[in-house]
Amino acid sequence: MSRFFTTGSDSESESSLSGDEQVAKPVGGNFGKQPLILSEDEEDTKRVVRSAKDKRFEELTNLIKTIRNAMKIRDVTKCLEEFELLGKAYGKAKSIVDKEGVPRFYIRILADLEDYLNELWEDKEGKKKMNKNNAKALSTLRQKIRKYNRDYESQITSYRQNPEQSADEDDEKKSDDSEGSSSMDEDDDDGMGAAAFLKKKEGAGEGRGKFLKKMEDEDEEEEDSDDDEDWGSSDSESDSESDEDEGKYTSLAFKFLKKTGTEEDKRVLEKKREEKAKKKQDHKSRRYEGDEDDNESGEWEKVKGGVPLVKEKPKMFAKGTEINHAVVVKKLNEILQARGKKGTDRAAQIELLQLLVGIAAENNLGIAIDVKIKFNIVASLYDYNPNLATYMKPEMWQKCLDCINELMDILFAHPNIFIGENIAEDSENLSNNEQPLRVRGCILTLVERMDEEFTKIMQNTDPHSQEYVDHLKDEARVCKIIERVQVYLQDKGTTEEICRVYLRCILHTYYKFDYKAHQRQQGPAGDSKSEQDQAENEAEDSAVLMERLCKFIYAKDRTDRIRTCAILCHIYHHALHDRWYQARDLMLMSHLQDNIQHADPPVQILYNRTMVQLGICAFRQGMIKDAHNALLDIQSSGRAKELLGQGLLMRSMQERNQEQEKIEKRRQVPFHMHINLELLECVYLVSAMLLEIPYMAAHEFDARRRMISKQFHHQLRVGERQPLLGPPESMREHVVAASKAMKMGDWKTCHRFIVNEKMNGKVWDLFPEADKVRSMLIRKIQEESLRTYLFTYSSVYDSISMEILSDMFELDLPTVHSIISKMIINEELMASLDQPTQTVVMHRTEPTSQQNLALQLAEKLGSLVENNERVFDQKQGTYGGYFRDQKDGYRKNEGGYLRRGGYRQQERQSNY
């Protein structure tokens, strides 16, 4: 025991200490010159031996205490870290838990933590305010605790049914342990165990929501004030108690030891708590009454909390001030000085500018000053969101559109106003009506920024919600504003500005299919149902509009970027409306494919979209090979979604950091401009099937056969690896099943797999002329199946009638004759046509299967010999009399082998 607890005089204690002094030798050399004097009691306290159970449970309770503290301050990240440590500590204590049972305090923290996380998860507003780390930790910890609590489901259920009984059982268990323990010191030191740390206060009517409440500063001040009020009484009570207790204890140590409270002591303590709670309640009620009295005396205004403004709002004009142009311009500059500064209330700034417009209109200061202020209002609306990633709120967006429309109305109504970004502020003319009014500003810049904000709104809106549809309706207003600016700049703008506004108009037109023009091309238009339909029919076709705008840019534009974008949009529009030859010729004449890799990423995305649309157009026209070549680069990369700007693929942080991810997200194309990726893949795979299957049949035994499409071969291998083949479900499985049928020459089965209800709903019905595409597909399948059949079974026939082939593949006789003739001319089929009998006579020049295998064996043996001689050359330094040929392989001077992509016997010079 410590010397402070000993009885007797100071002299006795000093003498006893001096007799028992022990000098502790310093460990680790000469560290510490003077010896450290330790008493026996202090040495004993350091050598207390505790059981393994106490050590493990103390470790658990310390971690639980840290978790509860983190729960109070809403630090979910800390909760996650400590919960993982708690699980490890519980694993170490597993042997003790198996003997003693799961401790109640452990069940309690699991139940409380799960309730706490559920409260946080349901609090939608609180989740939005969380930082990124806490939000991530919340979802992770919620999943872990739900999975972890499955093992303790019954204990947690019983605890939730009667939490007070669980706490009482813990108290009883703790008291039993303390009574059975042999050491008083151990009781004193470890008395605050699991129950003491985790015991809930009785009478506290707080539920799970207590972790989500924020403590108010006023309540803390009240508690401090209550404590201050009780200082005097507590001091007096403690003095009287100390005087009374002096005679009670035989030793001073017993006074400070833990006392077992009686029922009377508990009642006194409970009474004191009730009195303190009553005082606090009275204090609150007195304060609320005072607030009500203050409210009766005068009205109180509810103010916003947050960061105080760095700069005070500029006051409007003082009373009696003469309002003129100079004063209004000075006030305008004063308001704009706070623009962009930290702490500036942007909404208040916009209100002040609108108020300034009203003041200028009241004092008849002219229309030029209104135009100048409205320019700054639109600019302030754009600056309302300082972050590039965030988009404008709906009310701000509507206000921006209205303000630009008002500005355009003023400019059209007053043609004597000249605006331009090259006009200096000193040379502005805002008041002299005798001369042309000049205002600094660029309407085209405002419209371009408006268009970018519209794109940003569409990017950040859920495409499958009604909100997206509502925002998309605003595109008509955006296009109307662009058209008005286009008309205005055609009269007063420069050539560069006209090219820029034309490009904006093109970007809102090129991806839209013109159904009205399509109907007019198919047949004469009937009577229109309404005036609106009649006006749309009489309006300019999108093809004519694109032609006019793009040709102006081709002729007048001096920047490569605008001309490149115009060409790509023009090609896309041609391809979308099945004008294949115009789109192909424009792409080939522009030579964009040669240097597109040097363009900026948005232009590259536009180029990829154009090439994809070009390939789909070629497929609709039946140009299978052209369609495959156009789609090859995009589909073979495996990143079609990313290359088309329609989403980001999951990548590691090493390849793309967060900043790069934000930049790439801003480049994404809005959802209503997307190209259907499943349609794109289906078109590519069907094109590859129609090219690859006949080629595979023609070169079945060719060891050097090259692959036309790696992706198609990959899908075939995936289909072959499946142990159990059922009916095809996905689009890829349909194409693979159709390929296997075509390989056998069964065109009807192939047709059923490619054209059916499921494939129609997924792919073919998405085309404007779906029936035309389906009929084209059927004809291509018949023709290629005929070619495959002839390649596969030509060795079986001596001759075959063309009429039989015509009946088998349901093709007319001239088509069959044409296909076979082309195969004979291209030396793909070794046969001849017998015109009188209409039969195909096979020449039997192709090697048989056994001969093909022999040829393959000979070729492989030749390569083996060559490799063997190369190894020998590396060891000997010579190549067995051979010298290296510059082009390919090795030659021998006298006879032997000549290698040209393989071995062949050289003609000997000697005569036989």
Side-chain angles (χ1 to χ4, degrees):
M1 286 193 296
S2 179
R3 62 180 176 177
F4 297 109
F5 294 139
T6 57
T7 57
S9 63
D10 296 338
S11 61
E12 290 177 358
S13 63
E14 289 175 3
S15 63
S16 63
L17 282 170
S18 64
D20 297 335
E21 283 179 357
Q22 290 183 358
V23 179
K25 293 182 180 180
V27 181
N30 297 326
F31 179 79
K33 298 287 185 180
Q34 297 181 355
L36 180 64
I37 300 173
L38 298 174
S39 67
E40 290 180 359
D41 296 328
E42 288 173 347
E43 289 177 351
D44 291 341
T45 56
K46 290 186 178 180
R47 286 199 296 267
V48 170
V49 178
R50 291 182 294 168
S51 63
K53 173 186 172 184
D54 294 337
K55 288 181 182 177
R56 295 302 181 194
F57 280 16
E58 184 181 359
E59 184 181 1
L60 292 174
T61 51
N62 288 335
L63 290 170
I64 290 170
K65 186 177 180 182
T66 310
I67 291 175
R68 289 200 180 276
N69 290 336
M71 288 161 71
K72 289 176 184 175
I73 61 174
R74 298 169 65 93
D75 189 354
V76 189
T77 308
K78 185 69 175 174
C79 286
L80 176 59
E81 294 173 1
E82 295 299 324
F83 178 73
E84 291 174 350
L85 294 175
L86 183 66
K88 292 178 182 177
Y90 185 76
K92 292 178 182 177
K94 193 73 171 65
S95 58
I96 298 169
V97 171
D98 293 341
K99 295 178 184 177
E100 303 289 336
V102 182
R104 289 283 182 178
F105 63 83
Y106 192 72
I107 298 297
R108 188 180 302 130
I109 188 61
L110 292 180
D112 290 347
L113 186 57
E114 185 176 10
D115 295 341
Y116 168 71
L117 294 174
N118 289 335
E119 286 285 339
L120 284 180
W121 190 263
E122 291 167 4
D123 184 14
K124 301 297 183 184
E125 295 298 326
K127 280 172 67 179
K128 290 179 182 177
K129 295 177 183 177
M130 275 187 182
N131 59 28
K132 189 175 181 180
N133 293 333
N134 266 353
K136 187 177 180 181
L138 174 61
S139 59
T140 306
L141 182 54
R142 183 168 173 265
Q143 291 176 357
K144 284 190 175 184
I145 194 71
R146 289 171 67 184
K147 186 177 179 181
Y148 192 79
N149 283 3
R150 289 174 191 164
D151 299 333
Y152 308 98
E153 199 166 347
S154 58
Q155 294 98 318
I156 291 173
T157 306
S158 61
Y159 164 72
R160 283 177 175 157
Q161 288 174 356
N162 198 351
E164 294 180 0
Q165 184 180 355
S166 302
D168 294 341
E169 288 176 6
D170 268 1
D171 293 342
E172 290 173 7
K173 190 174 180 181
K174 190 64 190 175
S175 63
D176 293 341
D177 292 343
S178 62
E179 288 173 5
S181 62
S182 60
S183 173
M184 282 295 291
D185 292 335
E186 192 173 342
D187 289 340
D188 292 337
D189 294 337
D190 300 335
M192 295 295 286
F197 276 116
L198 305 174
K199 184 176 179 182
K200 296 183 177 180
K201 293 184 179 179
E202 297 178 0
E206 300 174 355
R208 295 181 300 174
K210 68 180 182 179
F211 301 113
L212 303 178
K213 294 178 182 177
K214 294 185 177 179
M215 299 297 292
E216 298 179 357
D217 295 334
E218 295 175 355
D219 294 341
E220 294 176 0
E221 291 172 5
E222 289 165 15
E223 291 177 7
D224 295 340
S225 63
D226 292 340
D227 294 340
D228 294 340
E229 290 172 5
D230 295 340
W231 268 111
S233 60
S234 63
D235 287 343
S236 60
E237 289 172 5
S238 62
D239 291 340
S240 62
E241 287 175 2
S242 62
D243 293 339
E244 291 173 3
D245 295 342
E246 278 181 359
K248 287 185 181 178
Y249 304 103
T250 58
S251 173
L252 187 62
F254 289 108
K255 181 177 179 178
F256 295 98
L257 291 178
K258 183 177 179 182
K259 298 183 284 292
T260 56
T262 61
E263 293 294 331
E264 188 177 352
D265 293 337
K266 288 182 180 178
R267 283 197 298 271
V268 172
L269 187 60
E270 191 66 33
K271 192 174 181 181
K272 283 184 180 180
R273 286 178 182 168
E274 290 175 359
E275 289 176 357
K276 191 171 182 180
K278 191 175 181 182
K279 280 183 184 180
K280 191 181 290 186
Q281 191 66 28
D282 293 341
H283 186 73
K284 280 186 180 179
S285 62
R286 285 198 302 271
R287 188 190 68 184
Y288 292 144
E289 287 173 5
D291 290 345
E292 289 175 3
D293 295 339
D294 292 339
N295 287 334
E296 289 172 3
S297 61
E299 294 184 359
W300 284 75
E301 182 184 357
K302 187 175 181 181
V303 296
K304 293 180 180 178
V307 182
L309 296 180
V310 176
K311 190 175 182 66
E312 293 183 359
K313 291 181 184 179
K315 296 179 181 178
M316 280 301 165
F317 310 105
K319 192 174 183 180
T321 305
E322 183 183 356
I323 308 298
N324 55 26
H325 292 86
V327 172
V328 172
V329 171
K330 183 180 178 182
K331 181 57 65 177
L332 175 64
N333 292 330
E334 186 181 342
I335 295 171
L336 294 178
Q337 280 177 359
R339 179 180 172 188
K341 290 186 179 179
K342 188 177 181 182
T344 303
D345 191 349
R346 298 179 184 85
Q349 206 176 24
I350 295 168
E351 290 174 6
L352 287 173
L353 289 171
Q354 290 174 339
L355 183 61
L356 197 61
V357 171
I359 293 173
E362 288 174 5
N363 292 274
N364 297 322
L365 295 181
I367 205 68
I369 197 75
D370 286 353
V371 172
K372 184 175 179 63
I373 299 173
K374 282 185 182 295
F375 266 111
N376 288 291
I377 289 174
V378 178
S380 300
L381 287 169
Y382 291 146
D383 290 344
Y384 187 78
N385 292 322
N387 191 359
L388 281 174
T390 56
Y391 60 98
M392 292 178 75
K393 295 178 180 178
E395 58 271 13
M396 290 292 176
W397 169 247
Q398 297 298 331
K399 195 181 291 185
C400 176
L401 293 180
D402 294 338
C403 197
I404 294 177
N405 270 322
E406 291 172 6
L407 199 56
M408 292 306 302
D409 292 338
I410 295 171
L411 293 176
F412 278 116
H414 301 83
N416 60 332
I417 299 177
F418 290 93
I419 59 171
E421 55 187 350
N422 297 324
I423 298 174
E425 291 187 1
D426 298 338
S427 61
E428 283 184 329
N429 179 21
L430 303 176
S431 56
N432 189 0
N433 291 322
E434 296 179 358
Q435 296 179 354
L437 298 174
R438 295 164 59 85
V439 181
R440 177 180 172 79
C442 181
I443 188 66
L444 180 58
T445 305
L446 295 183
V447 171
E448 286 178 337
R449 182 70 190 273
M450 173 201 68
D451 195 20
E452 291 169 3
E453 287 293 336
F454 175 72
T455 304
K456 203 184 296 183
I457 288 171
M458 303 310 294
Q459 286 172 345
N460 289 276
T461 308
D462 182 13
H464 305 291
S465 64
Q466 183 61 33
E467 185 183 3
Y468 190 91
V469 179
D470 296 338
H471 286 316
L472 192 57
K473 292 176 183 176
D474 290 334
E475 190 183 16
R477 294 185 65 187
V478 172
C479 293
K480 188 67 178 175
I481 290 173
I482 292 174
E483 288 176 8
R484 297 185 72 186
V485 174
Q486 177 183 330
V487 172
Y488 178 79
L489 291 177
Q490 282 173 352
D491 294 336
K492 297 186 177 181
T494 62
T495 305
E496 182 184 354
E497 290 176 335
I498 294 173
C499 288
R500 283 165 59 189
V501 75
Y502 276 5
L503 180 63
R504 288 290 160 184
C505 189
I506 288 169
L507 290 174
H508 280 277
T509 308
Y510 80 98
Y511 64 91
K512 297 174 183 174
F513 188 81
D514 194 348
Y515 284 97
K516 298 290 182 182
H518 181 65
Q519 290 174 1
R520 286 196 292 270
Q521 286 178 359
Q522 285 186 334
D527 297 333
S528 57
K529 297 180 181 179
S530 64
E531 295 180 358
Q532 183 180 358
D533 291 342
Q534 189 173 359
E536 289 179 357
N537 285 328
E538 293 175 357
E540 186 178 21
D541 282 353
S542 61
V544 179
L545 175 66
M546 290 287 293
E547 190 81 15
R548 178 170 58 83
L549 299 179
C550 290
K551 281 187 175 179
F552 182 88
I553 292 176
Y554 300 157
K556 304 289 184 181
D557 179 59
R558 297 178 183 176
T559 63
D560 289 337
R561 189 181 187 279
I562 293 178
R563 186 167 60 253
T564 301
C565 290
I567 292 172
L568 291 173
C569 292
H570 202 183
I571 296 169
Y572 190 105
H573 193 265
H574 279 317
L576 190 65
H577 292 83
D578 288 337
R579 294 188 288 271
W580 156 250
Y581 291 104
Q582 293 95 315
R584 184 199 63 181
D585 294 344
L586 190 55
M587 175 62 79
L588 293 176
M589 287 189 296
S590 64
H591 296 285
L592 289 177
Q593 60 271 23
D594 297 337
N595 53 7
I596 193 64
Q597 66 272 14
H598 301 302
D600 54 339
V603 178
Q604 291 185 16
I605 289 173
L606 181 58
Y607 174 80
N608 293 337
R609 286 166 53 80
T610 304
M611 288 302 298
V612 164
Q613 200 61 246
L614 201 60
I616 295 173
C617 174
F619 180 81
R620 288 197 298 265
Q621 299 299 312
M623 312 284 185
I624 303 299
K625 194 168 186 179
D626 292 325
H628 180 270
N629 292 337
L631 300 176
L632 179 63
D633 290 338
I634 301 296
Q635 284 298 120
S636 61
S637 66
R639 298 187 299 124
K641 185 177 183 180
E642 192 170 352
L643 293 175
L644 296 176
Q646 297 181 185
L648 298 179
L649 300 176
M650 295 297 293
R651 290 192 188 178
S652 62
M653 294 301 291
Q654 296 176 354
E655 296 182 23
R656 178 174 60 209
N657 55 31
Q658 291 183 350
E659 195 62 33
Q660 289 174 338
E661 189 171 346
K662 288 179 182 177
I663 294 171
E664 290 186 11
K665 281 183 178 178
R666 289 199 291 270
R667 294 176 185 149
Q668 299 303 300
V669 178
F671 182 76
H672 63 280
M673 298 170 63
H674 281 193
I675 296 171
N676 192 319
L677 294 177
E678 190 172 16
L679 181 144
L680 169 62
E681 187 178 9
C682 180
V683 167
Y684 174 75
L685 289 177
V686 171
S687 301
M689 177 191 76
L690 294 174
L691 293 174
E692 191 78 62
I693 297 299
Y695 182 80
M696 290 169 63
H699 301 81
E700 186 176 0
F701 301 104
D702 189 356
R704 296 177 185 176
R705 183 183 67 201
R706 61 180 181 83
M707 287 188 292
I708 297 176
S709 171
K710 289 184 179 179
Q711 188 181 7
F712 177 73
H713 275 274
H714 173 70
Q715 296 300 330
L716 287 179
R717 284 195 297 271
V718 169
E720 290 171 358
R721 281 196 219 109
Q722 293 180 357
L724 182 63
L725 284 177
E729 295 182 0
S730 66
M731 176 271 299
R732 294 174 181 175
E733 291 176 358
H734 276 87
V735 175
V736 171
S739 302
K740 292 179 180 178
M742 181 182 281
K743 197 183 292 185
M744 303 301 295
D746 187 359
W747 76 271
K748 290 183 179 179
T749 307
C750 178
H751 165 238
R752 281 199 301 272
F753 282 128
I754 293 295
V755 181
N756 51 54
E757 290 183 3
K758 190 178 287 187
M759 290 292 284
N760 287 341
K762 285 184 176 181
V763 181
W764 309 125
D765 286 343
L766 301 178
F767 288 122
E769 296 180 353
D771 294 334
K772 185 178 176 183
V773 173
R774 280 192 284 264
S775 61
M776 179 274 298
L777 263 177
I778 294 170
R779 185 172 183 83
K780 287 292 179 184
I781 289 172
Q782 289 170 333
E783 292 176 359
E784 297 303 325
S785 297
L786 171 61
R787 282 165 47 82
T788 307
Y789 184 83
L790 289 174
F791 283 135
T792 306
Y793 299 109
S794 62
S795 59
V796 178
Y797 289 99
D798 287 330
S799 63
I800 185 171
S801 171
M802 284 193 288
E803 292 181 358
I804 295 175
L805 292 175
S806 176
D807 294 337
M808 283 175 62
F809 294 96
E810 296 184 9
L811 292 169
D812 53 350
L813 199 59
T815 305
V816 175
H817 186 277
S818 171
I819 292 171
I820 295 174
S821 299
K822 286 179 183 177
M823 293 174 69
I824 294 172
I825 291 170
N826 295 329
E827 296 183 359
E828 294 174 339
L829 183 66
M830 298 303 172
S832 59
L833 286 174
D834 188 13
Q835 198 69 31
T837 58
Q838 293 288 312
T839 57
V840 183
V841 180
M842 304 299 175
H843 289 176
R844 294 280 189 178
T845 57
E846 292 90 354
T848 62
S849 300
Q850 187 176 5
Q851 291 170 341
N852 276 318
L853 290 173
L855 288 172
Q856 290 180 23
L857 178 63
E859 190 169 351
K860 288 179 180 178
L861 286 173
S863 63
L864 180 63
V865 170
E866 182 185 358
N867 291 334
N868 189 24
E869 289 178 346
R870 283 183 179 175
V871 172
F872 186 74
D873 180 35
Q874 290 176 359
K875 290 182 179 180
Q876 301 295 327
T878 59
Y879 196 65
Y882 289 84
F883 66 89
R884 182 68 185 263
D885 184 56
Q886 291 183 356
K887 292 183 180 179
D888 187 14
Y890 298 84
R891 293 179 181 233
K892 193 173 182 182
N893 289 331
E894 298 177 359
Y897 293 100
L898 172 66
R899 183 180 182 275
R900 292 285 187 182
Y903 283 95
R904 65 180 175 84
Q905 188 71 22
Q906 189 180 17
E907 295 181 358
R908 295 186 178 275
Q909 301 294 328
S910 59
N911 297 322
Y912 293 98

